[in-house]
Amino acid sequence: MRVCPFCGTDNEVFFRFCLGCGADLDDALGPPDADAAPTVAPPPAKTRPKAQRPKPAPEALKPPPVEEPLPTTMVRRAPAEPMEPSPRRRLSRQTPERNKRANPKAGSGQTAQGRLVLILEDGTDGAVYDLGPETTVIGREGADINFPHDDFLAPRHAQFSYGGSQLTLEPLESTNGVFVQVSHEVELRSGDVFRIGQELLCFELLGDVIAGRGGGDGAASEIGSPVPEGAWGRLGQLVAPNAWGAVYLLGGSDIYLGRERGDITFPGDGFVSGLHAVVMQRDDRYFLKDLGSSNGTYFRLTRSTPLRGGALVLAGQQLFRVER
């Protein structure tokens, strides 16, 4: 080691300048002994790299074979069968098979003055029947237009007739009658029957009912409960011919009928609208009016009645639209 005489820093033997103060150690201490100098190994001799034999050039890469495309096969799908529309129930209680036969009178040289269009259960038009210039009878059998599978039709159920240009509908002898949709106020008389939804209702005036209790030919009169104050009529729910279910007393000037709202409600009948129809008292007269219901209000005919174009007629299970 060489100690600097100026700052006392220890330095390696071969250092010429002090690491501490930078003084020239050779001037201050003299050159170091040759034996103390480190031996530096000579650099290795450079050798020429051996020449390498060039590698043979790689063979040109062949492109991968192109596969021929497979032939395209067209799969022909079987045509889908058309879906039948979902049937929608209307006023009828069962769905009979439809008779598509047109009125045979239409091909007998007579000129048709009007038509009956059968309305199917999904609301679309079905068969069309021509109405001749005289009379056309509809029924189950033996009529001009027959529906043999409708058990609610009489053999000869109702008759359409023309008097000049006016078409009229007359009910014939039948158990279930023929109904026309109410398009305006219809006057009610005691004993009249009308239909809302599936409900068949009979209208009666209490005065006529009480008068019928009187005994005739000396017989005793029937005893009954006193009439509630303000009551003037009743509606009877017909569940079978001449068989009543529920009975509703009528009082006041307007009695509303519906499924959810009104004075008389039928919550279990999905074909009755929320507010369906109204029975009105005007002095000593009584009227029935539809309130824009979805399925309409139908009045049972008791006599020959004129029909307008577009009128809806319900006979048995068959619903028709009149076209003139």
Side-chain angles (χ1 to χ4, degrees):
M1 299 293 291
R2 300 176 76 183
V3 180
C4 177
F6 302 103
C7 65
T9 301
D10 291 337
N11 295 277
E12 293 292 339
V13 174
F14 52 87
F15 284 1
R16 180 176 178 177
F17 298 98
C18 176
L19 292 176
C21 62
D24 190 338
L25 298 179
D26 287 350
D27 290 343
L29 300 177
D33 295 338
D35 295 338
T39 302
V40 179
K46 294 183 179 181
T47 58
R48 178 179 295 180
K50 294 181 179 180
Q52 295 183 355
R53 180 178 297 179
K55 295 181 179 180
E59 296 182 1
L61 296 176
K62 296 181 180 180
V66 179
E67 297 182 359
E68 295 183 1
L70 296 176
T72 303
T73 303
M74 295 184 64
V75 179
R76 186 180 299 275
R77 297 180 180 271
E81 296 182 0
M83 295 182 63
E84 296 182 358
S86 176
R88 183 181 63 188
R89 295 178 62 192
R90 60 167 193 267
L91 295 173
S92 60
R93 294 184 182 272
Q94 72 179 52
T95 305
E97 181 181 346
R98 305 296 185 187
N99 177 16
K100 300 296 183 181
R101 184 170 60 87
N103 185 358
K105 287 186 177 181
S108 61
Q110 298 185 15
T111 303
Q113 290 190 247
R115 303 190 307 171
L116 286 181
V117 180
L118 183 67
I119 299 177
L120 304 180
E121 294 185 2
D122 61 359
T124 59
D125 291 352
V128 178
Y129 304 93
D130 291 332
L131 297 175
E134 297 178 356
T135 61
T136 302
V137 177
I138 62 172
R140 192 175 70 249
E141 58 185 7
D144 300 312
I145 303 174
N146 296 293
F147 297 88
H149 301 286
D150 191 338
D151 294 334
F152 294 95
L153 285 174
R156 295 172 60 84
H157 197 95
Q159 176 177 281
F160 294 87
S161 304
Y162 272 101
S165 60
Q166 179 61 60
L167 176 65
T168 59
L169 174 60
E170 180 182 0
L172 302 179
E173 293 296 330
S174 64
T175 301
N176 296 311
V178 59
F179 294 77
V180 175
Q181 187 181 32
V182 174
S183 59
H184 55 278
E185 293 183 6
V186 175
E187 185 168 4
L188 291 173
R189 294 178 173 83
S190 191
D192 281 343
V193 175
F194 63 93
R195 185 171 186 172
I196 62 171
Q198 299 279 16
E199 311 305 321
L200 197 61
L201 304 172
C202 179
F203 171 82
E204 287 186 338
L205 295 174
L206 289 182
D208 295 339
V209 175
I210 295 173
R213 294 178 181 174
D217 298 331
S221 298
E222 297 180 9
I223 298 176
S225 300
V227 177
E229 184 178 357
W232 47 261
R234 68 179 183 178
L235 283 181
Q237 187 181 37
L238 294 175
V239 295
N242 301 320
W244 286 32
V247 178
Y248 308 93
L249 288 179
L250 306 178
S253 58
D254 296 329
I255 297 90
Y256 290 91
L257 314 177
R259 186 181 72 251
E260 301 167 350
R261 295 176 291 158
D263 304 292
I264 301 173
T265 58
F266 303 93
D269 192 335
F271 297 95
V272 176
S273 294
L275 190 62
H276 197 107
V278 59
V279 175
M280 302 175 291
Q281 180 192 29
R282 299 291 183 265
D283 297 327
D284 293 332
R285 301 176 68 186
Y286 307 91
F287 299 89
L288 172 66
K289 181 181 180 180
D290 184 81
L291 297 177
S293 63
S294 299
N295 292 314
T297 300
Y298 288 80
F299 180 79
R300 180 170 178 171
L301 301 183
T302 58
R303 62 186 69 86
S304 181
T305 303
L307 293 180
R308 59 175 179 81
L312 295 181
V313 176
L314 179 64
Q317 297 276 5
Q318 316 306 318
L319 183 62
F320 302 96
R321 183 179 68 251
V322 176
E323 292 186 352
R324 300 179 58 188

